Every structure is written in structure tokens, then in C-alpha cells.
Amino acid sequence: MRYFKTPEFLFEVFGEKQSILEVCCTIVFALLGSWIVYSVADISLDNWKSIIAFLLIGDVLAGCIANFSYGTNEFYSNRPKNRLIFIAIHVHIVVIAWLLSESMSSAIIVWCYTIVSAFIVNALKGKSIQSFVAANLMCYGIFLLICLSLPLWFLMVSMFFMIKVLFSFAVDHFGKQDIC
């Protein structure tokens, strides 16, 4: 696959190099996914809160795909402090809930579970068990989401938020691994 140098202002999103295929797949998923969420939600884009919320939803969906790309993974693999900061600043699900008047307690539960799990997974960088632990925490997280009885649109967004931060971002998908 042929890679191109990513513009510097997009390094945090796509890393220093990226392929056209990965960028296109990321954009298509973010747009299509946002449209699907919008179509199942009873939300009108007639005010600034809902517009910002859907921009954040698009960011969550884009991150699910972009964080699996070689360029993004390599960028953060070489910058462990940036990876920790990136995990810590991901308050998207709480902000989306606030903007769209969804249950704040459910959003905080989802956020706490996701962030704590992501820090645990990130701490296992370089260990062969990292992907297994991430998948395990992701599966428990899906049960958690189901138990919260969220509206369908918020369940979808919460699930993709969890995938983005806990599994696609916190795991170093292409790094060298030591056998535990």
C-alpha cells in the first residue's frame, strides 16, 4: 500500500503518513455512521447543541477506523505520553450526552469504564496479552452497555466510543510484542 505524508495539522488524527485507502475508509465510515445514528435518533439538527453533538459523533466514528490504521498507530506508538493524554481527554460521550439531553449518569458510567479500561490496556503495551485483555474488556463493556438500557442511538455511539478508545486506540496493533 502506498503512503503519503500527512499534513502536520492532521498528525494527531492520521499520524505522519497515511494511505488514501485508510483515509477514504475513515471518512466514509464517519459520514455513513453519522447518518445511520441520525436516522435512528429522534434528534433535529436545528440548534448549535445538536450540530456540535453530531460533529463529535462523527469524530468518534472516524476514530474507530483511523486508530486501526498503520500511520495513526505508529504515531502514538512512538509517543507514549501523547497516547496517555489522548486517552485522558476523551470526554466525547459525556459531552454528547449533555448536548443531546441524554442520561448523564449512564454517560459517566460508560466514560469511566472505557477510560479505566483503556489505561489498563495501554499499560500492557509490548505484551502479547494486550489484545486479549482489550478484547475481554471490550466484551464486558458491551454487556455493560446492554445492561444500561440506553436508547438505540446512544447505545450505538457508546459502543463505538468504547471501540475507539479502548480497543482501536489503546492497543498498539503493529508494535513488537514480548510473550508474557
Side-chain angles (χ1 to χ4, degrees), residues 120-131:
I120 291 168
V121 169
N122 185 67
L124 297 171
K125 182 179 189 264
K127 307 285 188 215
S128 62
I129 194 104
Q130 186 187 41
S131 292

Side-chain angles (χ1 to χ4, degrees), residues 87 90-91 93-94 104-120 144 161-162 165-166:
I87 291 168
H90 268 78
V91 295
I93 200 68
V94 175
M104 289 302 290
S105 59
S106 292
I108 290 169
I109 291 169
V110 171
W111 178 80
C112 286
Y113 180 85
T114 303
I115 299 305
V116 169
S117 296
F119 279 127
I120 291 168
L144 171 68
F161 174 77
M162 198 174 284
V165 179
L166 165 57

Side-chain angles (χ1 to χ4, degrees), residues 152-168:
L152 179 59
W153 75 269
F154 198 57
L155 173 65
M156 292 165 51
V157 174
S158 296
M159 194 172 308
F160 285 116
F161 174 77
M162 198 174 284
I163 292 168
K164 173 186 181 173
V165 179
L166 165 57
F167 198 75
S168 76

Side-chain angles (χ1 to χ4, degrees), residues 132-154:
F132 176 81
V133 170
N136 193 285
L137 290 169
M138 187 69 228
C139 291
Y140 280 108
I142 292 169
F143 275 134
L144 171 68
L145 295 176
I146 293 167
C147 290
L148 289 173
S149 298
L150 304 171
L152 179 59
W153 75 269
F154 198 57

